[in-house]
Amino acid sequence: MDFIRKIVEEDIRNNKNEGRVHTRFPPEPNGWMHIGHAMAIYLSYSIAQEYSGLFNLRFDDTDPSKESMEYVEAIKEDIQWLGADWEDRLYFASDYFEKLYDFAVGLIKAGKAYVCDLNVDEIREQRGSLTEPGVNSPFRDRSVEENLDLFKRMREGEFEDGSRVLRAKVDMASPNLLMRDPIMYRIKRVSHYRTGDDWIIYPSYDYTHGESDAIEGITHSLCSLEFETHRPLYDWFVDELLAIGKIEHKPRQIEFSRLNVTYTITSKRRLLELVDGGYVSGWDDPRMPILAGLRNRGFPASAIRMFLGKVGVTKRKKNIDMGLLEACVREELDRDANRVMAVLNPLTVILTNYPEGQEEYLEIPNHPKDESRGTRKVPFSKVLLIERDDFMEDPPKKFYRLTLGREVRLRNAYFIKCNDVVKDKSGNIVEVHCTYDPETKGGSAPDGRKVRATIHWVSKSHALKSEIRLYDRLFTREDPIGISDYNPDSLTTITGFVEPSVGEAEPGTHYQFERLGYFFTNLQEFSKDTIVINRTITLRDTWAKIKKQHLSTRKKGQRKQKKKN
RNA sequence: AGCCCCAUAGUGUAGUUUGGUUUAGCACCUCAGGCUCUGAAUCUGAUGACUCCAGUUCAAAUCUGGAUGGGGCUGCCA
């Protein structure tokens, strides 16, 4: 059990908050949710679930300059997709503006806040530094009446943007810079996407966040480590407001470390460069570490949840293997994806002893480990397509697949034996001629003879031509900086041939293309007539490893040879 | 430089609160092998860690102090 759950359990045991558990996720609607946010969302949601508590979604929309309703809708969709449910508790900090204003007035009356006429630069100068204390603002000791009057006039629009702010009167000598009379309100003549032009002063994050939590009765306010230094300020506001009776509940902020994944960046600025530079099709490109991107790629939400569960919750800096996320995706899809056959890089196979013009429909199980998923009919005929990689004229030692004179199995069909290779003028193999053994229908020989390999196939005349988008990792480096580490091979679009049953699928269907990987019918572009399919992820490929090892040992051998010479 | 946070195999994490029951557990990765109508899945096995120093104690990954290493903090962003 992680440290946050331990705190929650102890609070329940002590009957703190009357034993209630209430969490929230507080995004600012100014950008796309990424895999890191998924952790925050799912942690808060699942803790509420586990302890029979409640989970709120609250948009922290206190800076109108970059927020919009489009982001609100997109974020809601992402959270829903992830499986976190806020039920009817959708809130906006902007709904609390009037209340927050009233709280601020209370703080002024209590002598805990003042209007400061210093400009941005002056405030920065007077804040001091990491080692030196700040100096008090000359406006720090204004009378309550003057502060009240000025604050009211700030709201009414009497002053220019940036000319005055409301500050909390905390401690200009605090070693925590955030406690040096932080800004509570600034004047900003910008229309808000929800409150329009009702306000020209907007509350800051530090002032808004804990108060919104208190208003909603949040018990455990979970956030990432960068807010750790904000906690004393969070507590200060809550305590002062508690003292003057403006609120009656004290939430507790707890910080955990952010999620970083190898081969990935979540920096908005750097991701934007990829979008702007046309390296990806948009923020929701299937290669992006953005939730909408992962969804388009075909990563199941359940895999992301599993991943999050395995990663855990601590305060240590994390750097998690992309391989772990990929392993989760494979695990979920292995269980959930129906199997079909598709050929991505075709080579024509002619069954010389199969009757011309004949076709038959083979009944093939949709999932080898799950009979309840039923079967489908797959057409078989004289002319087939197999994967070009599955035939080698001059095979290396451990290559078990088709080659001249060798017998292999066509998956769920017949044994075939290769007798002949047909080449064009430049020596490229254009087709291979095989004979099939009618006795081996279904895939096994009555005489008990074995084959070493099984390869997949489609019937050439029945197969559906389709656009296949082969996605790979966005970056070439484990710790990418940005555009300079862009993987040019992260997307390859090819024409592939899929068995006819795929044409009947809905957009957003997961498949395993046997021996190739997990694929996903494109959510936006797939239809019966234009088949567009994303490769979500390849299968684990031990053969590729063997090949690599061979290559490297051969190179080493060559080097040794050279040395001898 | 001041303040705050963190420290277990390649990676992530359990164990630390309440010291012994741990030859430090699990997962991913890696390697070897078994099985196989997917070179997939699955199964078996292997390699591999308590940052350091000092103290307390019969006993320290666990408690104390210090050091070292890593991270955060000087927006009228969140």
Side-chain angles (χ1 to χ4, degrees):
Chain A
M1 190 191 312
D2 61 73
F3 78 104
I4 296 181
R5 275 174 244 255
K6 276 178 195 155
I7 291 170
V8 171
E9 290 201 356
E10 180 159 1
D11 288 346
I12 293 171
R13 218 177 302 125
N14 297 334
N15 205 238
K16 190 179 172 185
N17 307 306
E18 302 81 47
R20 281 186 314 116
V21 174
H22 202 154
T23 60
R24 101 275 89 115
F25 177 64
E28 186 186 16
N30 72 345
W32 297 75
M33 294 289 102
H34 55 64
I35 181 77
H37 293 116
M39 164 152 192
I41 294 165
Y42 205 65
L43 177 64
S44 281
Y45 174 69
S46 51
I47 284 183
Q49 281 283 294
E50 287 162 32
Y51 299 102
S52 317
L54 300 172
F55 167 77
N56 292 4
L57 172 58
R58 177 176 71 239
F59 286 94
D60 218 337
D61 50 359
T62 58
D63 181 5
S65 51
K66 8 174 205 174
E67 297 159 358
S68 75
M69 208 61 205
E70 285 74 62
Y71 283 125
V72 168
E73 292 308 324
I75 290 169
K76 282 163 69 177
E77 191 183 343
D78 288 342
I79 297 174
Q80 250 159 0
W81 174 69
L82 242 197
D85 185 5
W86 60 88
E87 299 174 318
D88 59 347
R89 289 175 308 281
L90 169 64
Y91 301 120
F92 295 84
S94 51
D95 285 341
Y96 308 140
F97 282 174
E98 194 61 55
K99 217 173 250 184
L100 257 10
Y101 180 85
D102 174 62
F103 289 179
V105 168
L107 255 14
I108 291 172
K109 285 181 180 164
K112 297 293 182 183
Y114 63 96
V115 173
C116 180
D117 303 358
L118 261 26
N119 65 35
V120 202
D121 296 329
E122 291 165 331
I123 287 182
R124 191 188 318 121
E125 274 166 36
Q126 300 204 348
R127 188 157 31 223
S129 71
L130 261 15
T131 47
E132 304 148 21
V135 301
N136 284 172
S137 162
F139 306 99
R140 198 172 202 258
D141 295 314
R142 281 217 249 241
S143 70
V144 168
E145 292 66 35
E146 192 184 359
N147 278 321
L148 250 18
D149 175 58
L150 253 17
F151 187 46
K152 187 166 169 245
R153 286 157 66 193
M154 275 172 65
R155 176 180 184 170
E156 285 165 354
E158 211 172 299
F159 311 119
E160 280 174 31
D161 285 17
S163 62
R164 284 181 165 82
V165 289
L166 183 72
R167 292 228 252 170
K169 198 187 282 186
V170 190
D171 177 9
M172 289 305 291
S174 170
N176 181 345
L177 288 296
L178 288 158
M179 299 295 270
R180 322 247 257 228
D181 290 10
I183 277 93
M184 293 171 62
Y185 273 92
R186 66 275 208 195
I187 306 172
K188 218 173 199 177
R189 264 165 257 256
V190 176
S191 279
H192 188 280
Y193 75 100
R194 293 188 77 242
T195 61
D197 297 321
D198 292 353
W199 295 86
I200 64 159
I201 58 170
Y202 291 99
S204 65
Y205 165 83
D206 282 307
Y207 173 57
T208 309
H209 200 87
E211 284 49 66
S212 303
D213 283 344
I215 290 168
E216 293 176 16
I218 301 302
T219 55
H220 303 269
S221 181
L222 314 181
C223 60
S224 50
L225 237 36
E226 68 256 40
F227 294 99
E228 206 160 29
T229 48
H230 294 246
R231 180 160 23 93
L233 184 54
Y234 180 103
D235 289 336
W236 188 90
F237 278 123
V238 170
D239 288 337
E240 294 300 338
L241 258 5
L242 231 32
I244 58 174
K246 290 289 182 188
I247 56 176
E248 59 242 32
H249 167 71
K250 178 162 183 173
R252 173 175 176 184
Q253 174 178 304
I254 305 168
E255 313 85 17
F256 56 86
S257 62
R258 269 175 171 279
L259 179 64
N260 297 299
V261 183
T262 59
Y263 294 99
T264 279
I265 52 177
T266 47
S267 155
K268 208 186 274 185
R269 212 192 76 234
R270 291 176 191 156
L271 252 18
L272 180 64
E273 290 174 359
L274 254 20
V275 175
D276 284 349
Y279 292 87
V280 292
S281 64
W283 283 92
D284 58 351
D285 183 286
R287 290 164 287 178
M288 293 285 269
I290 299 296
L291 259 25
L294 300 176
R295 179 166 65 233
N296 286 334
R297 172 85 164 260
F299 280 27
S302 62
I304 291 171
R305 282 185 239 121
M306 177 192 288
F307 170 69
L308 263 13
K310 289 188 179 194
V311 164
V313 184
T314 60
K315 299 184 81 154
R316 302 174 214 158
K317 187 180 166 54
K318 292 171 165 39
N319 196 202
I320 296 158
D321 277 340
M322 183 58 155
L324 183 62
L325 211 206
E326 293 171 342
C328 293
V329 170
R330 289 192 182 106
E331 189 175 336
E332 288 296 285
L333 259 16
D334 174 53
R335 187 193 59 214
D336 294 337
N338 277 171
R339 286 31 355 177
V340 292
M341 290 190 284
V343 172
L344 266 28
N345 184 16
L347 172 64
T348 300
V349 169
I350 308 222
L351 266 23
T352 49
N353 62 337
Y354 196 88
E356 189 80 43
Q358 181 175 311
E359 61 174 27
E360 60 184 309
Y361 281 81
L362 305 171
E363 191 162 351
I364 296 182
N366 290 325
H367 194 120
K369 291 185 222 169
D370 185 359
E371 257 182 57
S372 72
R373 286 170 174 271
T375 59
R376 67 189 187 286
K377 304 266 198 209
V378 180
F380 186 87
S381 65
K382 185 180 179 77
V383 183
L384 307 171
L385 259 21
I386 64 165
E387 216 64 61
R388 211 157 253 279
D389 287 352
D390 286 339
F391 176 83
M392 281 187 99
E393 199 178 10
D394 178 25
K397 232 177 199 162
K398 284 187 175 170
F399 183 88
Y400 307 137
R401 286 113 88 182
L402 198 61
T403 186
L404 232 33
R406 181 134 87 206
E407 189 172 49
V408 299
R409 172 165 41 231
L410 292 176
R411 173 119 244 237
N412 290 116
Y414 297 95
F415 285 9
I416 59 168
K417 189 170 181 180
C418 180
N419 309 307
D420 203 7
V421 182
V422 181
K423 294 183 187 175
D424 64 12
K425 280 171 193 155
S426 30
N428 302 311
I429 299 170
V430 291
E431 58 187 47
V432 295
H433 290 183
C434 300
T435 48
Y436 85 113
D437 178 357
E439 298 297 311
T440 58
K441 183 167 180 174
S444 52
D447 63 7
R449 73 181 192 276
K450 301 279 182 199
V451 288
R452 191 70 196 261
T454 301
I455 64 175
H456 58 93
W457 53 274
V458 292
S459 166
K460 190 172 187 175
S461 59
H462 302 267
L464 269 20
K465 221 175 182 179
S466 49
E467 176 178 334
I468 314 259
R469 298 181 185 165
L470 303 175
Y471 290 107
D472 206 337
R473 292 173 177 174
L474 222 204
F475 297 107
T476 52
R477 281 169 56 96
E478 216 175 272
D479 53 344
I481 310 293
I483 250 173
S484 54
D485 302 313
Y486 173 77
N487 175 10
D489 299 324
S490 57
L491 171 59
T492 313
T493 302
I494 60 166
T495 300
F497 299 86
V498 301
E499 61 168 73
S501 68
V502 176
E504 309 301 318
E506 298 292 321
T509 305
H510 299 283
Y511 282 113
Q512 185 197 100
F513 287 180
E514 291 206 61
R515 305 208 308 128
L516 294 174
Y518 295 100
F519 291 74
F520 186 62
T521 55
N522 193 289
L523 278 170
Q524 287 81 215
E525 298 169 60
F526 176 92
S527 76
K528 199 177 168 145
D529 306 314
T530 45
I531 296 181
V532 179
I533 294 172
N534 298 350
R535 181 175 69 194
T536 303
I537 187 133
T538 58
L539 250 30
R540 273 190 60 213
D541 192 352
T542 307
W543 169 243
K545 256 181 226 166
I546 295 171
K547 232 170 25 181
K548 226 166 138 187
Q549 278 175 6
H550 266 259
L551 232 60
S552 65
T553 51
R554 210 191 301 166
K555 268 183 194 164
K556 270 181 203 162
Q558 282 169 356
R559 246 178 266 143
K560 275 181 191 168
Q561 278 288 312
K562 273 183 191 170
K563 270 186 186 172
K564 276 181 191 168
N565 297 342

